[in-house]
């Protein structure tokens, strides 16, 4: 299946509805970051147009694991995630809808000494930011995960972390944004960002030109293409992440967990979201040669996280480069309308076996649905979140490396505050766009 749920209908303007001639802000990309930013800008009374080339949250924003964690983050992300946890706790009340929020914690179980030492090394980061992360003993892990049946040496646990439903959150932000006057337009891509004298002045869309002095580029894996049209080189790449939903099983825990080679969280209805540990697929194409020098130094250190594949993606990439292809006809700002991303069935089989080995009580649990998403990555493993760029009026939110869902609400609020008042409210220097041009890029703590 290409998506975990059908797109939510009725949240965007009809396709024959004319676009406004001028707005304060155009947001390119109708994923979680774009929808959250639209909501907070609309709440502040800003006139906003959000453009989505396909359907709202049709790609990675609805395909994530659903973990909401501060735990094991890069130091640059921790303040953002601490602020995001604060938003998550009241977000269902704020958006007046169920988001599947469970504030039961996050646990990484160590199956050997190497894993235990690696998890424990993050405690110094936790202490420096006063995050409530602790190392649990094997006995304490057993209390958190009753019936855990494989050998373990304890685990890293953060009680203040949680989980939520990716299929619900962007939809809720979009719904409330529309109520605040934001115009949401699906099936309308941005063909380019117009700049004059170093200032954003508008956006060329598939349905005409719209004047705006601020543009938020939150277009996921298409972001680097839009920026390249402005002469900005962003070393962004994509990897493929696979997730499955299971049938309901016996009640286990509401803790977001990685253990025994499987990442999982159990919903209130008893079903699980599962994934093959922290592995992603790299489907090799000519595009992966772009910016390779940024990634090469870290690939060996993080080699266990990647499955490199030479498959049909290479032929698809070659086809997209031909002048008669859809990608060429639509142009680099749109590229592909709705790419088909196939799940890794072998990885899901491993994840399901690992879950049942760890919890024999789940023996009758089966995979009910599966999907995959294109994860946009950057070589230092942290995103670009910036509204102080050149040209003036360009804001960017991209490169979330597979852990952006949890940050969605705070990213939207930070960008909205930054655009509306000039103050993001947090120190965003480490996540600035210019760090690549400046060469101020550190090795990643993880690449996704």
């Amino acid at each position: 299946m290409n998506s975990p749920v059908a797109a939510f209908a009725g949240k965007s303007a009809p396709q024959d509805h004319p676009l406004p001639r001028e707005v304060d802000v155009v947001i390119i990309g109708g994923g979680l970051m774009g929808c959250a930013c639209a909501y907070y800008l609309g709440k502040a009374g800003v006139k906003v147009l959000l453009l989505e080339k396909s359907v709202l949250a049709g790609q990675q924003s609805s395909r994530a694991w659903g973990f909401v964690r501060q735990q094991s983050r890069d130091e640059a992300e921790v303040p953002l995630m601490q602020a995001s946890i604060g938003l998550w706790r009241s977000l269902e009340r704020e958006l007046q809808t169920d988001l599947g929020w469970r504030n039961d914690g996050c646990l990484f179980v160590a199956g050997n000494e190497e894993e235990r030492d690696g998890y424990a090394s993050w405690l110094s980061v936790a202490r420096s930011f006063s995050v409530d992360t602790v190392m649990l003993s094997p006995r304490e892990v057993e209390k958190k995960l009753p019936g855990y049946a494989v050998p373990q040496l304890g685990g890293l646990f953060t009680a203040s972390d949680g989980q939520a439903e990716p299929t619900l959150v962007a939809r809720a932000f979009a719904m409330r944004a529309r109520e605040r006057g934001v115009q949401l337009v699906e099936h309308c891509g941005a063909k380019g960002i117009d700049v004059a004298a170093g200032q954003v002045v508008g956006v060329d869309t598939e349905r005409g030109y719209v004047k705006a002095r601020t543009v938020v580029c939150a277009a996921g894996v298409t972001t680097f293409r839009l920026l390249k049209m402005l002469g900005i080189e962003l070393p962004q790449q994509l990897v493929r992440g696979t997730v499955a939903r299971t049938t309901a099983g016996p009640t286990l825990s509401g803790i977001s967990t990685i253990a025994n080679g499987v990442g999982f969280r159990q919903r209130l209805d008893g079903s699980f979201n599962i994934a093959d540990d922290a592995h992603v697929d790299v489907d090799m194409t000519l595009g992966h040669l772009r910016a390779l020098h940024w990634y090469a130094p870290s690939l060996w250190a993080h080699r266990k996280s990647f499955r490199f594949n030479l498959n049909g993606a290479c032929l698809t990439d070659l086809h997209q480069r031909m002048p008669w292809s859809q990608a060429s006809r639509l142009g680099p700002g749109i590229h592909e309308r709705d790419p088909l991303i196939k799940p890794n069935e072998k990885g899901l089989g491993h994840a399901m076996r690992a879950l049942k080995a760890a919890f024999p009580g789940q023996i009758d649990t089966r995979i009910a649905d599966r999907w995959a998403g294109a994860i946009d990555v950057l070589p230092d493993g942290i995103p670009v979140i910036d509204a102080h760029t050149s040209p003036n009026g360009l804001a960017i939110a991209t490169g979330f490396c597979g852990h952006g869902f949890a940050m969605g609400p705070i990213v939207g609020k930070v960008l909205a505050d930054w655009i509306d008042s000039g103050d993001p409210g947090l120190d965003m220097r480490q996540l600035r766009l210019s760090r690549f041009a400046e060469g101020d890029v550190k090795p990643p703590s993880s690449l996704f």
Side-chain angles (χ1 to χ4, degrees):
M1 186 175 180
N2 193 35
S3 176
V5 289
F8 25 89
K11 303 297 180 293
S12 66
Q15 292 189 43
D16 59 353
H17 192 82
L19 297 185
R21 296 183 60 184
E22 183 173 358
V23 294
D24 299 319
V25 180
V26 172
I27 298 173
I28 304 173
L32 176 54
M33 309 301 171
C35 290
C37 184
Y39 167 76
Y40 287 112
L41 283 171
K43 189 177 178 182
V46 179
K47 187 176 181 182
V48 181
L49 169 67
L50 184 147
L51 301 172
E52 168 52 49
K53 67 180 181 180
S54 182
V55 294
L56 294 171
Q59 290 296 320
Q60 185 58 24
S61 289
S62 61
R63 305 177 189 213
W65 289 18
F67 284 25
V68 177
R69 63 175 175 87
Q70 302 154 96
Q71 183 167 295
S72 292
R73 293 269 180 175
D74 188 285
E75 291 184 50
E77 295 181 333
V78 175
L80 270 171
M81 270 312 304
Q82 289 178 297
S84 196
I85 290 290
L87 286 181
W88 276 106
R89 287 173 175 157
S90 59
L91 200 58
E92 289 182 320
R93 183 170 64 253
E94 168 88 8
L95 300 180
Q96 303 172 45
T97 191
D98 173 37
L99 303 175
W101 170 244
R102 301 182 72 180
N103 202 179
D104 294 338
C106 181
L107 173 60
F108 294 172
V109 178
N112 53 54
E113 291 184 0
E114 182 182 5
E115 285 186 340
R116 182 186 61 192
D117 293 346
Y119 294 152
S121 68
W122 196 76
L123 288 174
S124 61
V125 177
R127 285 192 291 268
S128 67
F129 290 98
S130 300
V131 180
D132 61 335
T133 304
V134 296
M135 282 298 296
L136 302 182
S137 68
R139 183 178 294 274
E140 289 171 324
V141 167
E142 291 172 2
K143 291 181 179 178
K144 297 290 185 187
L145 300 175
Y148 192 75
V150 296
Q152 48 91 9
L153 300 178
L156 189 71
F157 180 68
T158 305
S160 56
D161 287 347
Q163 62 162 285
E165 293 300 328
T167 56
L168 299 178
V169 182
R171 171 169 56 184
F173 273 117
M175 183 184 304
R176 300 308 172 207
R178 187 181 184 189
E179 291 173 355
R180 284 157 178 78
V182 173
Q183 188 165 338
L184 309 166
V185 181
E186 296 178 304
H187 305 289
C188 180
K191 298 167 67 176
I193 301 168
D194 192 17
V195 176
Q199 169 67 51
V200 169
V201 294
V203 176
D204 185 20
T205 86
E206 291 184 281
R207 288 169 51 186
Y209 186 86
V210 179
K211 292 182 180 180
R213 291 184 61 82
T214 301
V215 170
V216 177
C217 191
V221 297
T222 305
T223 299
F224 82 91
R225 301 178 190 277
L226 285 161
L227 296 183
K228 188 174 184 178
M229 296 166 71
L230 298 175
I232 299 170
E233 293 292 335
L234 182 69
Q236 184 181 49
Q237 287 289 359
L238 68 89
V239 297
R240 173 168 53 108
T242 297
V243 187
R245 177 179 59 81
T246 73
T247 57
T251 299
L252 175 63
S253 169
I255 299 172
S256 299
T257 305
I258 294 179
N260 195 41
V262 58
F264 66 88
R265 64 180 181 88
Q266 189 172 33
R267 298 179 174 91
L268 288 171
D269 67 1
S271 66
F272 292 86
N273 259 25
I274 64 168
D276 185 13
D277 202 339
H279 296 127
V280 293
D281 287 280
V282 182
D283 302 314
M284 298 302 297
T285 69
L286 291 178
H288 283 100
L289 299 177
R290 181 183 53 82
L292 181 60
H293 68 282
W294 283 102
Y295 293 88
S298 300
L299 283 177
W300 181 255
H302 296 277
R303 64 192 181 280
K304 293 181 181 180
S305 298
F306 300 97
R307 293 180 289 240
F308 290 92
N309 309 307
L310 188 60
N311 53 26
C314 189
L315 291 176
T316 299
D317 177 60
L318 289 171
H319 174 75
Q320 289 171 348
R321 296 170 185 271
M322 298 297 105
W324 57 80
S325 70
Q326 181 193 68
S328 294
R329 293 197 312 271
L330 292 175
I334 302 171
H335 190 60
E336 282 189 280
R337 181 78 66 192
D338 192 18
L340 177 66
I341 306 168
K342 295 182 179 180
N344 185 315
E345 297 288 350
K346 183 177 180 180
L348 289 180
H350 176 271
M352 196 72 248
R353 289 189 296 272
L355 181 70
K356 293 180 179 182
F359 302 100
Q362 303 295 333
I363 190 65
D364 294 325
T365 304
R366 298 286 185 271
I367 291 177
D369 198 2
R370 72 267 289 159
W371 57 86
I375 296 172
D376 49 321
V377 299
L378 290 170
D380 49 2
I382 56 177
V384 167
I385 306 170
D386 201 346
H388 183 67
T389 67
S390 179
N392 292 328
L394 175 66
I396 302 168
T398 196
F400 287 89
C401 303
H403 48 253
F405 170 71
M407 301 172 70
I410 193 61
V411 170
K413 189 174 189 308
V414 162
L415 283 178
D417 290 345
W418 208 340
I419 291 165
D420 186 43
S421 70
D423 182 6
L426 292 167
D427 182 358
M428 304 298 293
R429 185 178 184 280
Q430 293 185 77
L431 304 177
R432 70 195 186 282
L433 170 66
S434 64
R435 69 183 190 263
F436 297 105
E438 296 164 3
D440 185 15
V441 179
K442 63 182 182 180
S445 57
S446 67
L447 272 175
F448 66 95

